[in-house]
Amino acid sequence: MNRLLIAAILALAAPVAAADAASSARDLARCQAMSATFKPKQEEIVKLKDARDAQAEIVETKGEAWDDVEVMRNLSKAHAATADAAKADYETAKADLLRMELGLQEAVTALNADFDAYNQTCATAD
């Protein structure tokens, strides 16, 4: 009777153990796939940061150029047109910088969310 009871328990437990093993393998594969995306995303963030920093220098230069011609605005219509063009160029560069900054922030936020998701589901406290 004991052998029959043990056999019944093992017969019922075997599918559960197999399902747990399959689930563990899928979880491991999912976690490995998640972690494989981190390095490329970090590299992309570095590129975005470098582009943003370069654009910040361009904005600084264009702002100084606009300041230089703005003081001459009232001398003539040609000077005013030059100042207007320099200001438009500066404003365009600032808008590009803002777009780059927002893109960088979005990329960092997304990567942080990926790290958080990984830590919630994949990281183990050993």
Side-chain angles (χ1 to χ4, degrees):
M1 179 72 177
N2 284 340
R3 287 185 186 174
L4 185 59
L5 185 60
I6 291 173
I9 291 173
L10 289 176
L12 293 174
V16 173
D20 284 347
S23 175
S24 295
R26 281 192 306 271
D27 288 344
L28 179 60
R30 182 182 53 80
C31 289
Q32 288 173 337
M34 285 176 71
S35 68
T37 66
F38 295 154
K39 185 171 174 84
K41 288 179 181 180
Q42 289 171 324
E43 291 169 351
E44 181 63 25
I45 287 171
V46 169
K47 289 178 187 175
L48 291 172
K49 181 194 165 299
D50 291 345
R52 188 266 329 255
D53 291 348
Q55 184 65 22
E57 290 179 22
I58 291 169
V59 168
E60 179 86 17
T61 300
K62 290 182 185 246
E64 289 172 1
W66 173 51
D67 279 345
D68 291 345
V69 296
E70 183 65 25
V71 296
M72 307 295 273
R73 170 181 288 286
N74 293 329
L75 293 179
S76 70
K77 288 183 181 182
H79 285 93
T82 300
D84 289 342
K87 182 178 180 182
D89 196 29
Y90 171 61
E91 294 295 330
T92 299
K94 282 193 333 184
D96 289 343
L97 177 60
L98 178 60
R99 180 185 48 79
M100 291 172 150
E101 179 64 31
L102 292 174
L104 175 60
Q105 289 178 13
E106 287 174 7
V108 169
T109 299
L111 181 60
N112 285 340
D114 289 349
F115 279 136
D116 188 44
Y118 179 85
N119 287 336
Q120 292 289 324
T121 61
C122 299
T124 57
D126 288 333

